[in-house]
Amino acid sequence: MGRIEVVLAGSGGQGLLLIGKILGEAAAIFDGKNAVQTTAYGVATRGGFSKSEVIISEDEIAFPEAMNPDYIVCLSPQAFDIYKGKIKEKAILIYDKDTIKCENKEYYGFSMTNAAVELKNIRILNMIALGILVKISGIVSLEAIIKSLEKNSPLQFRDQNIRAFYKGFEMVS
């Protein structure tokens, strides 16, 4: 497997830190891999640039930050502008095509905002993005991510988060 670097980028308040935690715990606790998660956000907690990085490896992780991401998920135009064109060959960039305009056919655009609206809650956009990422990457098992999702979702949001995750998972053909 080697070292896999994931960047989850968007705006503060989109739940990127939560899905980073869910992904990292799925890898480390439930799949038995090494994982580390770091976060960064601007001075404005809501609306400013925010990112969560998750490194997953079967080997020890000596450096905890993404240097050459393998997977980048962009949920805001600002995040997309930061990462477009700066990714290594064979890296996969996933973006919300409802809010981000992109002509590059090499990137993976999904209608995430519309899917969240269909599920009647825009706040679950992050879970939809997580489902897409897990399906495309295969970096954690489905069983592990569901266990981590259940563990890290407040009871009142658990079913909705799982439903949104599966919505994203099924959006990938």
Side-chain angles (χ1 to χ4, degrees):
M1 171 183 178
R3 178 185 169 106
I4 304 291
E5 300 181 355
V6 179
V7 173
L8 308 162
S11 298
Q14 287 185 308
L16 298 163
L17 310 182
L18 175 60
I19 63 171
K21 179 180 182 192
I22 290 169
L23 181 61
E25 286 190 13
I29 295 172
F30 300 110
D31 272 347
K33 299 174 184 170
N34 293 310
V36 64
Q37 183 230 358
T38 58
T39 60
Y41 44 88
V43 292
T45 350
R46 293 224 179 260
F49 177 74
S50 174
K51 74 174 176 174
S52 178
E53 296 180 349
V54 181
I55 312 300
I56 300 171
S57 179
E58 291 178 349
D59 301 322
E60 277 189 39
I61 299 171
F63 187 71
E65 293 181 22
M67 298 173 288
N68 262 328
D70 299 286
Y71 300 94
I72 302 164
V73 177
C74 294
L75 298 184
S76 74
Q78 181 186 15
F80 184 77
D81 288 343
I82 290 169
Y83 288 101
K84 70 178 180 186
K86 296 180 185 175
I87 63 173
K88 69 180 183 181
E89 191 176 323
K90 297 187 181 179
I92 293 178
L93 188 144
I94 300 164
Y95 68 96
D96 177 13
K97 72 178 185 178
D98 296 325
T99 59
I100 298 167
K101 303 299 175 224
C102 175
E103 302 297 321
N104 190 328
K105 303 281 190 237
E106 293 178 18
Y107 299 157
Y108 294 73
F110 292 90
S111 190
M112 296 182 219
T113 297
N114 284 339
V117 169
E118 283 176 22
L119 293 175
K120 299 181 180 15
N121 187 349
I122 193 65
R123 294 175 62 201
I124 57 175
L125 176 69
N126 61 338
M127 297 299 162
I128 292 168
L130 181 62
I132 292 168
L133 171 66
V134 168
K135 178 73 175 270
I136 287 175
S137 68
I139 55 178
V140 294
S141 68
L142 184 57
E143 180 182 332
I145 198 77
I146 294 301
K147 284 181 180 177
S148 184
L149 234 168
E150 289 172 343
K151 177 182 178 278
N152 289 290
S153 293
L155 188 56
Q156 68 267 32
F157 302 119
R158 188 171 298 150
D159 289 343
Q160 191 173 40
N161 284 348
I162 292 170
R163 190 168 45 254
F165 169 84
Y166 276 117
K167 176 77 169 176
F169 196 82
E170 293 164 3
M171 288 170 70
V172 180
S173 51

